[in-house]
Amino acid sequence: MVHLNENGLTMERPMFPPGTATLLDELDKKLMVLLRDGRTLIGYLRSVDQFANLVLHRTIERIHVGKEYGDIPRGVFIIRGENVVLLGEIDSEKEANLPLVEVSVDDILDAQRREQEAKQEHDKLLAKSLKERGLRLIPDLSHDDMF
């Protein structure tokens, strides 16, 4: 397979079948990984196996609430492949110009807790309103509920 690089030159790349082998191109790159439980991890990919299990180095867990975010250092992080929902390379130029405000870990955890409490309150009011109309709210099953 032939690809163009940024200089317009052609380069021959090894042909990997679709699947986890294509992750070998991402080794030593800074990646963002979205997990099934909703967590977002950012770190350098150091290892991958045939099951798409990942080892991230210098990992942070990034928590977003509105236009704010906070980073929690996690160090070396091993991720079971079946828990990965989305994986992508971080563009360092775009990362430097994020339209978000970084706040302390304590502040972002408080904001996350308030957001979760507001969602629970909203769900309670919705369930009550539906019950008054003779209906029952059945929340979607999360992945964890299915296994």
Side-chain angles (χ1 to χ4, degrees), residues 82-110:
E82 68 182 20
N83 291 318
V84 174
V85 173
L86 181 71
L87 177 139
E89 185 178 353
I90 298 287
D91 184 336
S92 57
E93 291 176 17
K94 290 183 181 177
E95 184 182 29
N97 298 318
L98 287 176
L100 302 172
V101 177
E102 184 173 9
V103 298
S104 73
V105 173
D106 290 335
D107 289 345
I108 201 66
L109 289 174
D110 285 343

Side-chain angles (χ1 to χ4, degrees), residues 3 13 51 57 69 79 84 89 114 122 124 136 140:
H3 292 279
R13 292 179 114 185
F51 304 108
H57 179 244
Y69 75 94
I79 304 167
V84 174
E89 185 178 353
R114 287 190 307 271
H122 175 268
K124 278 185 194 177
R136 191 174 69 147
D140 292 335

Side-chain angles (χ1 to χ4, degrees), residues 23-74:
L23 288 174
L24 294 174
D25 285 341
E26 305 304 320
L27 284 174
D28 297 325
K29 292 183 181 175
K30 190 174 187 180
L31 301 180
M32 186 274 312
V33 181
L34 179 64
L35 300 180
R36 245 177 28 173
D37 65 4
R39 289 184 291 170
T40 300
L41 301 174
I42 297 173
Y44 293 89
L45 183 64
R46 296 299 185 210
S47 183
V48 62
D49 67 8
Q50 70 270 26
F51 304 108
N53 296 321
L54 309 173
V55 176
L56 294 180
H57 179 244
R58 293 176 44 196
T59 307
I60 59 166
E61 180 179 349
R62 181 161 286 173
I63 299 173
H64 295 92
V65 177
K67 295 253 183 213
E68 297 179 334
Y69 75 94
D71 293 337
I72 303 171
R74 297 292 188 199

